């Protein structure tokens, strides 16, 4: 049984995801040190207690998540819920890797790229680069799938694929050709999408003001779930990991979250 060292895995992940290019709200990379060698890796969206328990059940040596720990502005003390998660992971000798913005933005494995793939969106490219807008170029621009240009049909298509209801603001009979999306809690980038000429902005979550922005700008808005839109990046990263290190046993575990 061959194993991969923690350091080798860490270096490959940090390099592949270009973590040095990001200023983020949480540390990217190894957040908690566990066993020095790794065979079983579990991919997930969030390093919650329930997720860590599932990972330990399948004998994970490392977990790789999109939502790790140690967010800016949170209480840094290791107490209560935070203590429970960390104490449990230490007891299980789990390596915990978190990749936030680098995993949203990656041109191939990122959440935006993978959501476009899953939903069959066309991705606009300018001189070979993805057309983006918003802070950190986190919002992608493109087009709806062929035959799904009418917002009502597009909404139904998205609900079917993501297997959940989507909050929709707009006119379902309107046809769109230019759309923008950003996975997760990116409702604050709605104005950037409007400024970039998008006729629809799709993200995970909504805030009160998006209703008025959609109404008054005549731009449709969809909130399709923070978790639901961010399930795909870690899975693509898991596939890339398997290809790079065939000796690893890589599995994705989904802990459903309605938000
Ligand atoms: Zn997120």
């Amino acid at each position: 049984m061959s194993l991969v060292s923690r350091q080798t895995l860490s270096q490959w992940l940090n390099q592949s995801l270009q973590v040095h290019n990001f200023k983020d709200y949480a540390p990217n990379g190894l957040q908690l040190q566990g066993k020095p060698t790794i065979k079983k890796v579990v991919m997930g969206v969030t390093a919650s207690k329930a997720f860590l328990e599932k990972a330990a059940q399948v004998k994970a040596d490392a977990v790789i998540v999109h939502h790790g720990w140690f967010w800016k502005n949170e209480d840094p003390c290791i107490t209560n819920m935070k203590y429970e998660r960390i104490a449990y992971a230490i007891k299980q000798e789990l390596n915990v890797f978190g990749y936030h913005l680098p995993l949203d933005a990656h041109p191939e494995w990122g959440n935006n790229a993978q959501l476009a793939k899953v939903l069959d969106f066309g991705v606009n490219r300018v001189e070979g680069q993805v057309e983006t807008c918003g802070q950190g170029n986190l919002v992608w621009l493109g087009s709806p799938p062929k035959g799904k240009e009418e917002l009502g049909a597009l909404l139904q298509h998205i609900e079917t694929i993501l297997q959940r209801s989507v909050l929709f603001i707009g006119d379902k009979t309107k046809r769109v050709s230019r759309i923008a999306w950003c996975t997760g809690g990116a409702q604050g980038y709605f104005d950037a999408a409007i400024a970039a000429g998008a006729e629809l902005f799709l993200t995970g979550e909504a805030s009160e003001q998006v209703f008025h922005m959609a109404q008054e700008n005549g731009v449709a808005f969809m909130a399709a779930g923070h978790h639901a839109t961010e399930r795909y990046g870690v899975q693509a990263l898991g596939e890339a990991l398997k290809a790079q290190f065939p000796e690893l046993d890589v599995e994705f575990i989904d802990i459903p979250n309605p938000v």
Side-chain angles (χ1 to χ4, degrees):
M1 189 170 81
S2 73
L3 301 163
V4 175
S5 79
R6 179 205 304 131
Q7 202 190 348
T8 301
L9 180 63
S10 181
Q11 274 170 359
W12 183 82
L13 287 166
N14 290 347
Q15 182 60 37
S16 304
L17 292 167
Q18 301 272 295
V19 299
H20 52 277
N21 286 337
F22 292 86
K23 263 194 86 175
D24 211 332
Y25 317 100
N28 287 301
L30 185 65
Q31 296 188 335
L32 177 72
Q33 180 179 318
K35 286 173 203 157
T37 53
I38 294 158
K39 169 76 185 166
K40 175 85 185 183
V41 181
V42 173
M43 315 296 297
V45 179
T46 301
S48 64
K49 184 81 188 297
F51 170 75
L52 297 172
E53 285 169 355
K54 289 268 190 211
Q57 270 170 26
V58 297
K59 301 196 163 30
D61 304 307
V63 297
I64 304 174
V65 296
H66 179 51
H67 300 139
W69 300 332
F70 313 118
W71 298 89
K72 202 155 87 182
N73 301 327
E74 78 177 19
D75 181 352
C77 297
I78 301 173
T79 54
N80 302 318
M81 174 181 140
K82 194 172 184 172
Y83 169 79
E84 295 297 335
R85 287 178 173 186
I86 294 173
Y88 183 80
I90 290 174
K91 203 171 127 215
Q92 301 293 333
E93 291 183 89
L94 279 171
N95 289 284
V96 177
F97 292 89
Y99 293 96
H100 183 237
L101 294 182
L103 194 55
D104 284 319
H106 191 278
E108 193 185 337
W109 314 324
N111 281 319
N112 280 340
Q114 290 297 315
L115 187 68
K117 198 171 162 188
V118 166
L119 296 178
D120 198 22
F121 289 170
V123 175
N124 287 356
R125 289 184 196 274
V126 180
E127 288 168 13
Q129 301 276 64
V130 175
E131 187 188 2
T132 59
C133 66
Q135 199 193 345
N137 295 315
L138 288 168
V139 177
W140 285 33
L141 290 144
S143 51
K146 291 251 174 305
K148 306 274 190 263
E149 292 86 357
E150 197 178 79
L151 285 169
L154 182 58
L155 176 64
Q156 206 172 54
H157 164 78
I158 294 169
E159 288 187 328
T160 303
I161 290 179
L162 297 184
Q163 294 192 299
R164 56 162 289 148
S165 63
V166 170
L167 173 73
F168 174 75
I169 304 163
D171 173 0
K172 286 186 187 167
T173 65
K174 193 178 162 187
R175 292 174 70 84
V176 295
S177 57
R178 184 168 170 82
I179 65 173
W181 65 94
C182 184
T183 64
Q187 63 270 47
Y189 297 151
F190 191 16
D191 55 352
I194 293 168
E199 297 159 292
L200 162 71
F201 181 55
L202 166 74
T203 184
E205 295 185 43
S207 298
E208 192 271 349
Q209 66 266 33
V210 299
F211 174 73
H212 308 291
M213 290 172 72
Q215 294 283 310
E216 292 169 35
N217 289 288
V219 176
F221 178 88
M222 291 187 194
H226 190 136
H227 178 89
T229 57
E230 297 201 318
R231 277 177 301 198
Y232 304 104
V234 283
Q235 294 184 67
L237 179 61
E239 291 303 314
L241 199 58
K242 271 189 221 172
Q244 177 69 24
F245 301 102
E247 61 271 47
L248 288 177
D249 177 6
V250 183
E251 182 183 346
F252 169 67
I253 293 182
D254 192 28
I255 307 288
N257 177 341
V259 179

